[in-house]
Amino acid sequence: MFADELKFPVIDLKGIGSSYAKSLAKAGILTVADIIRYAPRSYENRKDIVPLSSVPDKREVNTVVEIVAHDFVGYGKKKTLKIFVRDETSTGVLVCFGRNFLKNKMPVGKRFFLYGQFDYRYGELQSTQFDTEEYGENPGHFGLILPVYPLSGNLKQNVLRKAVKAVLNTYLPSVEDQLPAALIRKYNFPSRKDAVRAVHFPKSMGERHEALRLLKYEELFFLQLTAVRRAFKYKKEKREIRKITGSIMKKAVLLLPFSLTPDQISVLKEIRKDMESENPMYRLLQGDVGSGKTLVAFLAALFIIEAGGQSAFMAPTELLARQHAENAAKLLEPLGVRLAFLSGNIKSKQRGPLLKALKKGEIDLIIGTHALFTSDVEFKKLEFVIVDEQHKFGVMQRISLFNKGEKPDILLMTATPIPRTITMTIFADLDVSVIKTAPEGRKPVITHLSRMGNEEKVYRAVKEELKKGHQAYFVYPRISSESNAKEGLKDAERMFRYLTNDVFPEYRTALIHSKLPDTEKISIMQNFSRGEIKILAATSVVEVGVDVKNATCMVIEHAERFGLSALHQLRGRVGRGPDQAYTFLIYSEDLSDVGKERLKIMMNYSDGFSISEEDLKIRGPGQLAGTRQSGFLKLNFADIIRDTDILNQARKDALSLLKTDPGFLRADNGVLRDVLERCPPFEDDLLSSG
Ligand code: ADP
Ligand code: MG
């Protein structure tokens, strides 16, 4: 197991000063164990001979050369030494920028080990980046495969190598196997000791491959094990069984002007089953914007309300919370549900009585913002917590709400579709519900890409829509221009004036962004919602959840400044009614090809899952909204996208281990403890009941 001595802080290691330790800390290296799992980015193979004649097929040369001649180019201070060398196959030139002293160290006739990057330049085979060592019995850095580590701060390759080497010399004996023996046998893995050594200083590239095979698997295996454990742990809690008849819910459905989609129905069934279980629910509901998640959540709350419990629905912004409250009122008040709304802006005159009623159990469903988890908010019987756009809240914030109830059922919702590889990794996939198909009758939004300079065309198209009585959003990356005048970025304030005065003088426009007071934001949104305001110039505040069916145009300028998931969310603001809707993505002239590819994804895909899969391919998992906080995906050796096969295998093994040896998950398992310590806490690790 990971012995305690591996927790030895690097700052206490000999030869590592405090400023160097700071740089190590920045790279995530605090302890000996962190050094051990600091994965090389690549290797310099100074073992296998690659002669000069291999260029240009290869750039990396590793050979033994004899010094043939010296020469200088340039004058004065710019004078640069050139050393002419030859090995058995060819000749080459070492260009010694700032290293003229090498002339004496490398006299004509002497032989040297040489490792360097070579290119043909000016008809010569040249290298400016090379390393040499006098040829002889003791080749020092030569004859080895050297690790190349990712550097940051003042980290230096050579110092890092030395640190790793020193650490391995002292601590390698303490490294023990972590995997269950059966798995080591099954895959014929090398020992962990060998793997750790070989990943830093492999004797051959084959050995390194074997080492990585173990280290990647190990990482993914424990990742899966903890994910599975998480999912099991909260669910293992016992609670009183409740009986749900669903009769109020059925009434609500009959009152709807439409019928539920098959996906909505099956998600409601899953939730109902969870709610009837003797273990609390801990479920993630994913579905694209407008797929009908909120409705499902309201209907699910009816299950609980009918059984005599209270529900809380938390949304990330006041705007959104209010909109949910209004929709809930329309749907639920006719059924006799007692609703309340709470945000930081509710005055104490109202707040006092509201909190009292909540505590007495006179409110069935409370909808609100962060204000819901403040400490004076108490419930009589909180049994169901819904968190909308769950990734917009911190873990601790969510937990403080959960802890207001006695093992409440938990429904986390997100409109940021998370690729399956990731939900699998974080949520073990055990309790993820997905609404895939949007309600019928929605036409996919038509998306146009437009280069800056062609805005007039876009504005004209929008005007046509306005003439039909529709409304439009214009979204900008910044509120105002003070700080970014130089970048030539359009901003919401300036464009609001321009759109109002020059482009659409005959229509009523408004400006909305996060700096406005909440009351003002709300009144603007209400006016927009009623159709009095036709055009909103905005920042991405309109990103989440705003629902105005009559808005058919979404214009996003400097679209390249937004993440794809943000663009997807923004686009989801239109196309919510029966009319054809449009999104115009306007991008800067100097957008790179990759940037254009990303925007094309928006044009070619309309469902969020495909978009996030594509985005993931381009950007890597760390960047995906909703998973960033998990920090969890900062793997040292494995890559959940490239190593999906290993991930799948590790997952199968983790599940079957749990069946055959549940003891492996016990808290006294040192390996697991070590892994857990490296993962940020999740809800169920911190719930007071857990
Ligand atoms: P989400 O929370 O997933 O963004 P909502 O629940 O807010 O989606 O639903 C978006 C809009 O679609 C709302 O106006 C809602 O009334 C409507 N809606 C929900 N379910 C259906 C359905 N089955 N058929 C038609 N419209 C629906
Ligand atoms: Mg929503």
Side-chain angles (χ1 to χ4, degrees):
M1 318 275 115
F2 243 82
D4 281 344
E5 52 184 319
L6 297 185
K7 305 241 165 78
F8 193 77
V10 283
I11 190 158
D12 295 339
L13 287 174
K14 253 196 241 142
I16 294 195
S18 70
S19 104
Y20 204 71
K22 234 181 242 160
S23 297
L24 285 173
K26 248 191 222 140
I29 301 176
L30 298 169
T31 64
V32 161
D34 295 331
I35 281 224
I36 286 179
R37 51 175 169 254
Y38 197 61
R41 172 165 56 79
S42 61
Y43 298 83
E44 288 181 4
N45 186 341
R46 298 175 175 210
K47 186 182 171 107
D48 304 320
I49 294 285
V50 181
L52 289 168
S53 62
S54 319
V55 190
D57 290 345
K58 298 194 171 161
R59 293 194 57 218
E60 229 174 68
V61 165
N62 182 49
T63 188
V64 174
V65 293
E66 185 189 327
I67 309 299
V68 179
H70 296 137
D71 189 16
F72 282 96
V73 291
Y75 298 96
K77 280 197 181 146
K78 295 242 174 82
K79 215 164 74 163
T80 296
L81 171 69
K82 282 169 92 177
I83 304 178
F84 293 83
V85 298
R86 103 176 137 219
D87 69 0
E88 288 174 355
T89 65
S90 188
T91 55
V93 182
L94 308 178
V95 183
C96 311
F97 290 115
R99 293 199 271 174
N100 290 353
F101 60 87
L102 287 178
K103 181 174 179 212
N104 294 332
K105 289 204 159 175
M106 300 173 73
V108 172
K110 255 208 169 152
R111 298 221 291 162
F112 287 84
F113 293 108
L114 167 68
Y115 178 88
Q117 307 284 329
F118 278 82
D119 277 310
Y120 271 104
R121 241 176 262 159
Y122 315 111
E124 289 176 342
L125 190 54
Q126 286 193 350
S127 177
T128 54
Q129 282 179 54
F130 56 88
D131 194 13
T132 56
E133 183 102 25
E134 204 172 313
Y135 183 72
E137 293 287 284
N138 185 7
H141 268 155
F142 286 82
L144 298 173
I145 298 174
L146 285 184
V148 179
Y149 296 100
L151 298 178
S152 57
N154 65 355
L155 291 185
K156 295 258 180 337
Q157 204 59 257
N158 271 336
V159 186
L160 202 51
R161 280 176 192 154
K162 245 189 246 160
V164 174
K165 199 157 224 173
V167 160
L168 289 184
N169 280 340
T170 313
Y171 293 95
L172 202 56
S174 315
V175 172
E176 292 173 22
D177 289 338
Q178 298 194 335
L179 289 174
L183 287 173
I184 298 179
R185 274 196 306 276
K186 177 175 172 190
Y187 295 108
N188 198 11
F189 282 132
S191 78
R192 184 158 213 277
K193 244 192 258 312
D194 281 345
V196 163
R197 197 234 344 115
V199 82
H200 292 287
F201 295 100
K203 295 198 181 105
S204 68
M205 290 319 261
E207 197 189 53
R208 174 207 168 230
H209 177 82
E210 279 297 286
L212 272 184
R213 206 165 60 83
L214 169 72
L215 296 172
K216 283 182 175 188
Y217 176 89
E218 215 177 65
E219 224 167 33
L220 294 173
F221 175 78
F222 286 111
L223 191 66
Q224 286 298 282
L225 204 60
T226 48
V228 170
R229 175 186 159 281
R230 288 212 155 96
F232 278 155
K233 196 171 157 218
Y234 190 57
K235 285 167 59 93
K236 258 199 344 254
E237 300 286 340
K238 289 270 190 294
R239 54 114 184 261
E240 249 174 72
I241 294 186
R242 55 166 95 84
K243 190 76 205 109
I244 287 168
T245 65
S247 62
I248 307 186
M249 199 286 279
K250 276 177 210 141
K251 258 189 229 155
V253 172
L254 287 178
L255 290 177
L256 289 172
F258 45 75
S259 42
L260 295 179
T261 64
D263 283 350
Q264 284 174 316
I265 292 171
S266 66
V267 172
L268 274 167
K269 273 191 193 141
E270 287 170 327
I271 293 177
R272 177 173 177 164
K273 206 166 146 230
D274 286 350
M275 286 176 162
E276 283 180 326
S277 144
E278 57 175 4
N279 316 108
M281 169 166 84
Y282 184 74
R283 183 170 286 281
L284 175 73
L285 174 55
Q286 288 197 71
D288 237 328
V289 275
S291 60
K293 295 182 298 298
T294 309
L295 179 63
V296 165
F298 289 157
L299 294 174
L302 290 176
F303 289 144
I304 296 295
I305 292 165
E306 183 203 311
Q310 293 174 291
S311 301
F313 188 126
M314 183 160 73
T317 64
E318 165 120 21
L319 214 68
L320 203 53
R322 247 176 223 277
Q323 187 180 286
H324 286 325
E326 278 159 23
N327 290 336
K330 271 182 239 151
L331 177 72
L332 303 179
E333 273 177 354
L335 300 163
V337 173
R338 295 164 300 175
L339 285 172
F341 172 77
L342 184 68
S343 79
N345 292 319
I346 299 288
K347 299 277 165 348
S348 53
K349 219 166 53 186
Q350 252 181 304
R351 186 180 163 94
L354 190 157
L355 292 185
K356 215 174 269 168
L358 190 65
K359 194 172 173 183
K360 281 211 234 141
E362 291 164 3
I363 289 168
D364 301 313
L365 169 61
I366 186 159
I367 297 176
T369 59
H370 300 72
L372 282 182
F373 56 73
T374 42
S375 60
D376 57 347
V377 176
E378 293 173 76
F379 292 80
K380 181 164 185 228
K381 209 171 173 229
L382 176 62
E383 295 191 350
F384 184 28
V385 176
I386 304 153
V387 182
D388 194 18
E389 297 299 328
Q390 57 102 13
H391 58 276
K392 304 250 166 169
F393 295 93
V395 175
M396 298 311 289
Q397 299 181 322
R398 296 190 298 225
I399 291 166
S400 48
L401 181 56
F402 303 159
N403 279 339
K404 291 181 189 293
E406 185 77 26
K407 294 165 201 159
D409 285 317
I410 294 169
L411 185 66
L412 305 171
M413 304 205 290
T414 179
T416 306
I418 308 173
R420 186 156 175 269
T421 30
I422 291 184
T423 50
M424 202 164 98
T425 315
I426 303 177
F427 295 91
D429 229 19
L430 294 178
D431 295 297
V432 177
S433 296
V434 182
I435 301 184
K436 287 208 185 70
T437 330
E440 264 175 49
R442 297 228 178 107
K443 298 190 186 93
V445 177
I446 295 175
T447 299
H448 293 289
L449 294 190
S450 194
R451 192 202 281 265
M452 251 172 99
N454 297 332
E455 292 92 328
E456 284 311 317
K457 263 195 219 153
V458 173
Y459 298 164
R460 243 177 290 144
V462 172
K463 209 168 262 177
E464 289 306 308
E465 282 298 298
L466 292 169
K467 275 187 201 150
K468 292 184 207 158
H470 293 153
Q471 292 159 276
Y473 300 95
F474 283 79
V475 176
Y476 300 91
R478 302 282 159 87
I479 298 174
S480 60
S481 63
E482 281 160 53
S483 57
N484 53 44
K486 262 183 265 140
E487 297 172 53
L489 270 191
K490 293 186 183 180
D491 59 79
E493 276 178 359
R494 186 161 58 93
M495 287 306 291
F496 162 65
R497 288 192 298 271
Y498 176 67
L499 294 173
T500 309
N501 300 330
D502 299 310
V503 188
F504 304 107
E506 63 274 47
Y507 294 103
R508 196 171 150 203
T509 53
L511 170 70
I512 187 164
H513 55 70
S514 58
K515 293 261 169 69
L516 295 181
D518 280 335
T519 46
E520 200 173 325
K521 268 189 261 179
I522 288 156
S523 102
I524 291 171
M525 281 318 295
Q526 277 168 347
N527 284 334
F528 186 68
S529 187
R530 284 196 295 263
E532 289 156 16
I533 292 172
K534 295 293 182 192
I535 297 166
L536 275 187
T539 56
S540 56
V541 282
V542 293
E543 182 185 322
V544 179
V546 175
D547 188 15
V548 178
K549 290 189 171 59
N550 190 45
T552 58
C553 293
M554 169 61 70
V555 181
I556 304 169
E557 304 210 39
H558 299 293
E560 73 280 359
R561 298 246 159 189
F562 295 84
L564 288 193
S565 75
L567 291 177
H568 179 64
Q569 293 268 347
L570 285 168
R571 180 165 62 183
R573 301 303 107 221
V574 297
R576 298 173 80 90
D579 302 299
Q580 179 62 55
Y582 305 88
T583 290
F584 301 92
L585 304 178
I586 301 177
Y587 60 89
S588 314
E589 292 110 43
D590 53 359
L591 186 58
S592 70
D593 286 346
V594 176
K596 263 174 231 160
E597 281 312 306
R598 291 186 58 232
L599 292 184
K600 275 200 193 127
I601 292 175
M602 291 303 297
M603 208 166 76
N604 297 336
Y605 296 91
S606 57
D607 79 291
F609 283 97
S610 312
I611 290 173
S612 67
E613 293 279 0
E614 295 298 317
D615 201 13
L616 190 66
K617 282 184 206 156
I618 297 183
R619 296 200 298 166
Q623 300 292 316
L624 265 192
T627 61
R628 199 170 319 160
Q629 60 171 20
S630 70
F632 201 47
L633 300 173
K634 266 195 236 129
L635 299 169
N636 293 288
F637 300 104
D639 173 323
I640 57 165
I641 306 305
R642 269 180 290 151
D643 299 322
T644 340
D645 291 348
I646 308 178
L647 180 71
N648 285 328
Q649 193 55 52
R651 170 184 168 71
K652 269 189 216 143
D653 294 337
L655 280 168
S656 84
L657 177 77
L658 276 183
K659 283 193 195 117
T660 56
D661 182 11
F664 202 79
L665 279 190
R666 278 199 323 262
D668 59 359
N669 180 331
V671 175
L672 206 58
R673 204 162 5 113
D674 180 64
V675 175
L676 285 175
E677 272 172 20
R678 285 154 54 197
C679 303
F682 262 64
E683 273 78 355
D684 50 339
D685 288 329
L686 294 172
L687 279 169
S688 60
S689 51

